[in-house]
Amino acid sequence: MSSENTLDDEDTFKILIATDIHLGYLEKDAIRGNDSFNTLDEILKCAKTNQVDFILLGGDLFHENKPSRRCLHSCITMLRRYCMGDTPINFNILSDQTVNFNTTQFPWVNYQDENLNISIPAFSIHGNHDDPTGAEGLCALDLLSASGLVNHFGHSQSVERIEISPILMQKGNTKLALFGLGSIPDERLYRMFVNNQVTMLRPKEDQDEWFNLFTIHQNRSKHGPTNYIPEQFLDEFIDLVVWGHEHECLIAPTRNEQQLFYVTQPGSSVATSLSPGEAAKKHIGLLRVKGRKMNLQKIPLKTVRQFFIQDVVLDDQDHFTADTPQVTKKVEDLCYAKVTEMLDEAERERLGCPLTPEKPLIRLRVDYTGGFDTFNTSRFSQKFVDRVANPKDIIHFLRRREQKGDIKGLTQGLRVEDLVKQYFEATEQTVQLSLLTEHGMGKAIQEFVDKDEKDAIEELITYQLEKTQRHLEARGVITEQDIDTEVRAGSCMISRAKDVNAINRAKAHRLEHGNVPVDSDISNELALDSDEGSAPFAPPTRGRGRGGRGRGGRGRGRGELSYYLVR
C-alpha cells in the first residue's frame, strides 16, 4: 500500500469503486423514495470532482431486474450529466474488445466510439438483482451498454465452463488487467470452481508488470456448505479483489494470507434491510494504482440515510421480570427510551451535514424469551411517525429457540452412514434390517444426499430383491414359512462388497437415461447458448470524431496481446 500523495501523476490510474447501489429501491415510498437516486448522484459527482480515469461498479446497479421507467430515466440522466463531456481519456485498451464486450453489437469501449463524447467511462458487472434473463439473456445494463453509457463486462454465456478474459489497460507505464465475473448462483459457481471449470486468462507478455484487479458479485460469508465462494478459490496472481453483493461496508483492504491478495468490500450505498450489517457507515473507494502499488482511499457518503439498530434482551433486565405487575407497560417504556436515545444520537451526528436526510432509520430488536408478552407495535410507532423514516417497523420482536439437548454436539463430525448405523443400533429388534445391511443403506442414503443420486436407494433395494429371488429359487424355497426362515438366517443379506455394485447400478441407470442433474435456474442460459445472435455492427467510419485527443486506436481486431491459460 502506498501513500496517495505520491501516486497522482501520468502513470497513476484513479478508479472510483462502488457496489450495490440498488437504484430504485423503495422508489414509491413517500419518505425513502429518492434515497438511492440521491446517492447515485453523489457517487457520480464524486467521480467527476476527483477526475477519475474510470468508474468500476461491482453489480446490483439496479434493485429490480426490470427497473421502472422513472428509474431508467433517472439513471440515464445522471450518467449523461456526469460521464459525458470533452475531458480527454488518458489510458488505452490493449486487449481484444470483441472478447471483453461479447454481449453487445458494439464490441468496443464506449469512449472509443466516434459518435460519443465520454469523459468518464463506467465499467460494470451485473449482480443478482439485475442479472440477464430471458431467451436473449439481456439485463438492464445491456440497455445502458447499447446506449453507450456503461461498459457491461464479465457476462459468461456458457453454463459448462467459464473463461474470464481481462480488459487490459495501460496508462503511462502502468498496466492494469481488469477481470470481472457477473453474478452466478453460488452453488453452481462453487461446483464449477471445485471441478476446475473456471479459468482466468492472463496476458502472455510481461506478466509481472500487470496489476490484476478482479471484480466479483457473490456471497463472501458462508451461508451453507456451498452457498458462498471461498476466497481461496480465486487465483493467487490477483492483487486486489473488489467484492460485491455483501452489503456491510468493509472497504479497508484486508490481506488473504493464504492467497496473498487483498480484498475490499465496499458494501451497499443504500440500506435494503434493517439488519446490523447495513448499519455500518457507507463508503465508496478511490483506488490509485501505479505500477504494482496501490492505495485505497475511503470516501464517506453524505446523502445516505442514517440507520441505528440496538438489541434488548428482556430476560437480562434487572428492574423487572416476566412476573412483575404491569410488566408489558414497563417493557414499552423501556423501548420508548431506547428509540428516543437512538434518535438523539442521530440528531447529533446530523449536525453540520445538510445532505443527510432528516429522518433516520431506527430498528429495536426485542428478545422477549422467558414468558414476556408483546405490546401493540402499531400504537407504539405512532409516537415516532414524524421523526423516523420507517415508523411501521421500528420494533422487531424475536424469541430464542429452545435447545432440546446438544444435538449439534451429537451429530457434529458424523457421516450419514454413521447416523444410519446409530439409528438401527438403538432401535428394537423387530425393526432391524433383514435383507439390507446397515452399511449398504447408509451408503445409499449418503449418495442420495451428498451426490444427488436419486436412484441410489431404489437400486439398492431392487438389487437385493433380485439377488434374494435367485437365491430362493436355487434352493427351491416356496412356502412363506421357509422363506421367512431363510431370510432370518441371513443367507440372503447383501454383503458389504456388493453394496457398491448397487450404487454403481444407480449411477449407470441415471446416465443411461440421460438424467444428469441440471440446475433449475439455467434453463434461460441453455436457450441462450443455442441463439447465435446477429453479427456485431461494423465500427463507425464517420461522425463527429474525437480529433487528436490522445485516445489511441480502437483495437477491435484480435488485440495487441495474446493470452494463455494459467489454471
Side-chain angles (χ1 to χ4, degrees):
M1 305 294 288
S2 303
S3 170
E4 60 189 73
N5 296 326
T6 63
L7 282 177
D8 285 346
D9 55 28
E10 64 276 3
D11 294 328
T12 302
F13 274 100
K14 292 176 67 176
I15 309 165
L16 189 84
I17 294 176
T19 66
D20 298 273
I21 293 173
H22 287 274
L23 196 66
Y25 176 69
L26 288 184
E27 61 180 317
K28 295 183 179 180
D29 187 275
I31 301 175
R32 304 163 65 183
N34 291 323
D35 285 4
S36 62
F37 300 102
N38 293 337
T39 302
L40 176 60
D41 187 86
E42 179 185 4
I43 292 171
L44 297 178
K45 185 181 295 183
C46 180
K48 189 169 185 176
T49 301
N50 285 279
Q51 300 178 342
V52 300
D53 291 298
F54 65 89
I55 299 169
L56 179 60
L57 303 177
D60 281 353
L61 172 60
F62 297 100
H63 183 71
E64 299 291 343
N65 190 267
K66 298 178 180 178
S68 67
R69 289 187 213 176
R70 178 215 173 182
C71 185
L72 281 172
H73 179 268
S74 299
C75 182
I76 291 171
T77 300
M78 286 184 277
L79 287 171
R80 181 171 175 174
R81 177 182 298 129
Y82 294 108
C83 296
M84 298 188 78
D86 293 327
T87 305
I89 306 296
N90 297 315
F91 67 91
N92 291 319
I93 306 290
L94 306 180
S95 53
D96 184 356
Q97 298 186 49
T98 60
V99 175
N100 299 142
F101 310 111
N102 59 356
T103 61
T104 176
Q105 297 187 53
F106 304 95
W108 53 84
V109 69
N110 61 351
Y111 76 82
Q112 289 182 347
D113 194 310
E114 296 174 353
N115 296 309
L116 300 172
N117 278 1
I118 303 296
S119 59
I120 303 178
F123 296 85
S124 179
I125 62 173
H126 63 262
N128 59 306
H129 279 254
D130 51 11
D131 59 328
T133 58
E136 297 81 9
L138 296 174
C139 63
L141 281 178
D142 291 314
L143 299 180
L144 301 180
S145 176
S147 303
L149 296 171
V150 168
N151 301 291
H152 179 201
F153 74 110
H155 180 191
S156 175
Q157 294 178 296
S158 173
V159 297
E160 297 178 353
R161 177 168 294 279
I162 297 174
E163 286 189 352
I164 306 175
S165 181
I167 302 173
L168 300 180
M169 308 175 179
Q170 183 167 359
K171 182 180 180 182
N173 294 319
T174 299
K175 298 178 179 179
L176 176 69
L178 176 60
F179 297 82
L181 181 61
S183 177
I184 295 175
D186 290 288
E187 295 88 347
R188 191 202 317 163
L189 185 57
Y190 185 103
R191 186 166 61 249
M192 294 181 78
F193 269 112
V194 169
N195 295 331
N196 293 320
Q197 294 173 309
V198 181
T199 305
M200 299 185 73
L201 306 181
R202 297 181 67 184
K204 186 176 182 179
E205 304 171 4
D206 305 321
Q207 288 190 11
D208 294 336
E209 296 182 7
W210 291 89
F211 184 91
N212 300 293
L213 176 62
F214 182 39
T215 308
I216 187 172
H217 190 98
Q218 304 290 153
N219 279 335
R220 185 183 179 192
S221 56
K222 189 173 182 179
H223 295 274
T226 61
N227 195 16
Y228 75 116
I229 303 301
E231 292 180 9
Q232 59 265 27
F233 279 6
L234 307 183
D235 286 278
E236 58 186 11
F237 69 82
I238 297 171
D239 295 296
L240 177 65
V241 179
V242 178
W243 207 297
H245 184 60
E246 300 286 356
H247 280 206
E248 183 177 4
C249 183
L250 301 173
I251 198 167
T254 56
R255 182 179 171 89
N256 184 300
E257 297 299 335
Q258 181 177 346
Q259 299 295 88
L260 303 180
F261 53 62
Y262 286 90
V263 181
T264 176
Q265 182 179 303
S268 66
S269 57
V270 61
T272 60
S273 66
L274 301 178
S275 59
E278 296 276 20
K281 302 303 179 184
K282 306 291 188 182
H283 296 80
I284 54 176
L286 181 58
L287 175 66
R288 292 175 171 88
V289 176
K290 182 177 181 180
R292 295 297 302 276
K293 298 180 179 180
M294 70 172 182
N295 171 270
L296 184 60
Q297 173 189 353
K298 63 179 184 179
I299 301 174
L301 292 171
K302 301 175 182 178
T303 58
V304 175
R305 191 175 297 275
Q306 297 168 290
F307 175 34
F308 294 87
I309 183 170
Q310 284 190 22
D311 293 329
V312 173
V313 180
L314 298 183
D315 215 20
D316 293 344
Q317 302 301 314
D318 296 329
H319 49 284
F320 59 75
T321 65
D323 299 326
T324 302
Q326 297 184 331
V327 65
T328 304
K329 181 65 168 61
K330 295 182 182 296
V331 169
E332 187 172 350
D333 291 342
L334 173 65
C335 293
Y336 182 88
K338 293 289 184 181
V339 171
T340 303
E341 177 185 318
M342 287 188 279
L343 284 170
D344 292 341
E345 182 180 356
E347 191 172 348
R348 287 193 298 270
E349 283 191 8
R350 200 166 56 248
L351 291 175
C353 300
L355 298 179
T356 304
E358 182 180 354
K359 297 179 180 180
L361 296 169
I362 300 293
R363 169 54 68 94
L364 184 64
R365 302 192 299 185
V366 182
D367 184 342
Y368 67 107
T369 307
F372 292 92
D373 293 326
T374 63
F375 54 79
N376 189 315
T377 55
S378 298
R379 185 180 59 203
F380 178 87
S381 299
Q382 290 300 315
K383 303 175 183 178
F384 302 98
V385 69
D386 295 327
R387 301 184 62 188
V388 300
N390 58 316
K392 295 181 180 179
D393 49 11
I394 298 175
I395 302 294
H396 176 55
F397 283 105
L398 53 91
R399 180 183 294 173
R400 292 192 304 270
R401 293 181 179 178
E402 301 292 339
Q403 297 291 337
K404 295 183 179 179
D406 189 8
I407 298 176
K408 183 177 180 181
L410 292 174
T411 60
Q412 190 171 13
L414 290 179
R415 299 173 299 173
V416 173
E417 56 264 43
D418 295 330
L419 295 175
V420 173
K421 182 178 180 181
Q422 285 185 6
Y423 171 78
F424 285 112
E425 285 178 350
T427 56
E428 300 176 2
Q429 187 65 31
T430 54
V431 292
Q432 291 293 327
L433 294 172
S434 298
L435 293 179
L436 304 176
T437 64
E438 296 165 0
H439 175 268
M441 180 59 74
K443 195 70 178 175
I445 293 175
Q446 183 186 30
E447 292 286 320
F448 177 82
V449 172
D450 293 347
K451 301 181 181 178
D452 201 27
E453 293 290 351
K454 296 181 173 60
D455 298 325
I457 299 174
E458 179 183 353
E459 284 293 340
L460 178 69
I461 296 173
T462 302
Y463 182 88
Q464 178 58 23
L465 285 175
E466 292 174 356
K467 176 181 176 295
T468 302
Q469 289 168 354
R470 290 195 300 269
H471 175 81
L472 295 176
E473 288 174 359
R475 293 180 63 88
V477 179
I478 301 176
T479 65
E480 270 188 44
Q481 184 176 359
D482 290 342
I483 292 175
D484 188 57
T485 301
E486 199 73 24
V487 170
R488 289 181 182 278
S491 57
C492 300
M493 185 168 283
I494 190 171
S495 66
R496 277 189 172 222
K498 293 182 179 179
D499 285 337
V500 181
N501 293 339
I503 304 300
N504 290 336
R505 277 181 50 167
K507 295 179 181 178
H509 178 270
R510 173 174 60 81
L511 295 174
E512 179 183 351
H513 291 78
N515 296 326
V516 180
V518 179
D519 290 341
S520 60
D521 55 1
I522 65 175
S523 57
N524 288 334
E525 296 181 45
L526 291 174
L528 179 104
D529 285 345
S530 62
D531 183 8
E532 296 295 334
S534 56
F537 287 141
T541 57
R542 300 180 62 186
R544 286 178 292 181
R546 303 298 301 199
R549 294 177 56 192
R551 299 263 176 161
R554 182 163 280 110
R556 294 198 285 265
R558 296 301 301 167
E560 300 180 27
L561 295 179
S562 56
Y563 301 115
Y564 78 113
L565 305 183
V566 296
R567 184 178 285 278

